[in-house]
Amino acid sequence: MPLFSCQYRDLTRLLLAASMAGAFGAAAASAPATDAATTVHPELWPRVGSPLPPDPVLDARVKALLDRMSVEDKVGQMIQADIKYVTPEDVHKYRLGSILAGGNSGPDGGEYGTAAQWKKLSDAFHRASLQRSDGRPAIPVLFGIDAVHGHNNLVGSTLFPQNVGLGATRDPELLHEIGTVTAQELRASGINWTFAPTLTVPRDRRWGRSYEGYSENPKLVAEYAAQIVSGLEGAVGTPQFLDARHVIATAKHFVGDGGTRDGKDQGDAEVSEAVLRDVHAAGYPPAIRAGVQVVMVSFSSWNGVKMAGNKALITDVLKQRMGFDGIVLGDWNAHGQVPGCTNEDCAAAYNAGLDMLEAPDSWKGLYQHTLAEVKSGVIPMSRVDDAVSRILRVKLRLGMFKEGLPSDNPLARSAAQVIGSAAHRAVARRAVRESLVLLKNNHGLLPLDPRKRILVAGDGADNISKQNGGWTLTWQGTGLTNANFPGATSIWAGIDEQVRAAGGTAVLSVDGSYKQKPDAAIVVFGEDPYAEFQGDLPNLAYKPGNDHDLDLLRRLHAQGVPVVALFITGRPLWMNREINASDAFVVAWLPGSEGEGIADVLLRKRDGSVDYDFHGKLPYSWPRTAVQTPLNVGQPDYHPQFAYGYGLSYSDDGDLGALPEQPGVALDGGRAGVYLVHGKPAHGFSLQLTAANGQVTAVDAVPAATRDGSLRVAALDYKAQEDARRLSWSGPGKASVALTTDAPLDLDRQTNGDVMLVTTLRVDAVSPQGASLGVACGSNCGARIQVGPQLAALPRGQWLRVGIPLKCFRHAGADMARLDRPFEWTSSPGESIVVTEVSLGTVADKTLGCPTH
């Protein structure tokens, strides 16, 4: 039986139908949504049904519990709070049904933790949820986390290639093994629920979450869905299903998150119902058949209708037509984007069919409003009982009412032998080997002879954080060093070990310099870590305006050194220049913690024979230019640089002629979320001074000053010549410096998370009259945050990254959806600061709170 319902045809016809519907064009249709465009026909969707047989005993237990619960108990079960914003005492008081650890939330106020820390925290919440003396049922709390490529918030865990790399393996059975390992390491740390797998089908690789999808091909996503779910949860119909060695899985994000216009995160999927069903929902029927217990609904919209409020798709299709009987969960405050809703109040999302709202920092207000709406009948009690029944059903299936403390789980008691074990790391190392894709191998350069002298260069060579990417210990995967990854192996370390074992010499030189000419060089470079928001791109150019990696490849090549380029990336990008500058080009994706898997393939055995051949095939089409997007197999005029499924092996002729080097767009250095870089305004931004009398001065060159001399700008050296700007206030009155743009910025999405406005600066003197940092959108819709006292507390003469959460500006009244000044510093005589960079980020040396405005 094929994975699609029998009413659908083979992949080729499916893709052709989707392309005819407009899913694969250069841009999605831009017409406003109509009733026809948003009408859902449930009868045309796959009929699936729960794979679990009827269980009258379980149903009776659910009803018995429900009958004994108060309205307050029920509402609490329908809310999920983040551990950064909730305490065990809160869980006890409000009877919350679940908690989560978001990307930047860890035990003891950190962003990640050890197994001992996670178990202690989980035990505390579990105990609190069971404290009950009023005769009503004590219901254990669920604990969810984004374990998306292994247990990636756990220090010392086994980290697998990100999903884009797993898509290249074409190995569904491997996905089952990865799910099994991930579940065991979660249980060993006291956690019983993961927000995985991601079943998105990314259609535009400008989307910053493309690496979370297995492929552009819905058939491959469907093939993987059942395997990863059964690995995480155990196989339905066996004693292993949801036993103590497995966890609850979450199929996400339902539906269309990978099909948004221009690849915009949380954007609008402007596609037909047929494309939504056949392409973007392809993974959900097999996941449901495999017994997935939770489906997370997407932030995104379908033809203008927010998914979190789309009753036709959530209730009529997912619950009724597909027969899904588990928990339907909202994403991080996504309900707040439904028209008429806020983060603290959204009856519409519950009435649309969401059973549990993820309200990380807004849970208390949501609880209060939801309770009032249930009591008033705005949310019918029948809807509440359905939601709570589903939550109880999943908890009973997991055996939560008969389990002890999370730390009592057998895997938790032997955590040191489970987490990062040799057997688990062997699975990850195999995944790395199978994921590598060879695009070019001129003159059979690969595999290299390990008995020779090999230079290993590039900033990714000995950088475990970079080889893992986002969603690794921290949300964006930034602010980390190799010391944060005990037991992991960098790409350089793996190469060095095998070369030395064979009698050769490996030399690490990040900048590519050497004293003795090598026989070959492996240059490891690529994208820096990112996650949602931060990863969105305007086009597919690789680091436009920064040719550092290209220059390194060209320099070694010009010196007569055979060059192997090893590209770390979460998606295909326009790389023709880098490919031309290399003799061999390998796509490593984001390989995870086991860097030696790369050496397994790139190096021969000591006796000269091949150890492991290349196995990987492109899971996404590779662009011919930086503007060739969307680009997906099956679309009209499909003409990529490297087609979907391309990938050489050692037996293939790997010679590749020179590729055209016209990107199709100016490589001007524009990067999303960067406003000032090396002391200069980023592309599309200008520096503007405003005197106390309102006179405006555009800064075209430095030095510069306001006309009244109250604010002066001068160049200063930080890490390079004149790569910083000194701002000096000398009076009279207040004066401002701002970064302005003619194209207003929409930072509303970023404001919903933990993104900050980060300024890399040095404080030399502080005005006694105080200072403010603001954002603006015209004359009356911005906000200023008073930072004087917090600025005064910073050390003088020391470079720091100082961050203010974007949500502070929203709370202060700014319209974050249309900013034309994302940075405006206002101060008075006596202040002197030096600034080199202003950007959005999640890592800062000092994070300022939300002071009064």
Side-chain angles (χ1 to χ4, degrees), residues 719-738:
K719 291 183 177 180
Q721 185 175 5
E722 297 189 352
D723 65 342
R725 296 292 179 264
R726 181 191 295 277
L727 307 172
S728 303
W729 283 261
S730 57
K734 293 184 177 181
S736 302
V737 57

Side-chain angles (χ1 to χ4, degrees), residues 455 514 517-521 553 555-563 583:
L455 175 72
Y514 53 82
K517 186 177 180 180
D519 296 301
L553 293 167
R555 173 160 46 86
L556 288 168
H557 197 269
Q559 292 167 353
V561 178
V563 176
D583 297 287

Side-chain angles (χ1 to χ4, degrees), residues 756-781:
M756 298 182 288
L757 180 65
V758 180
T759 306
T760 303
L761 55 73
R762 189 185 77 196
V763 178
D764 291 339
V766 176
S767 169
Q769 300 174 38
S772 66
L773 180 58
V775 298
C777 47
S779 59
N780 61 355
C781 65

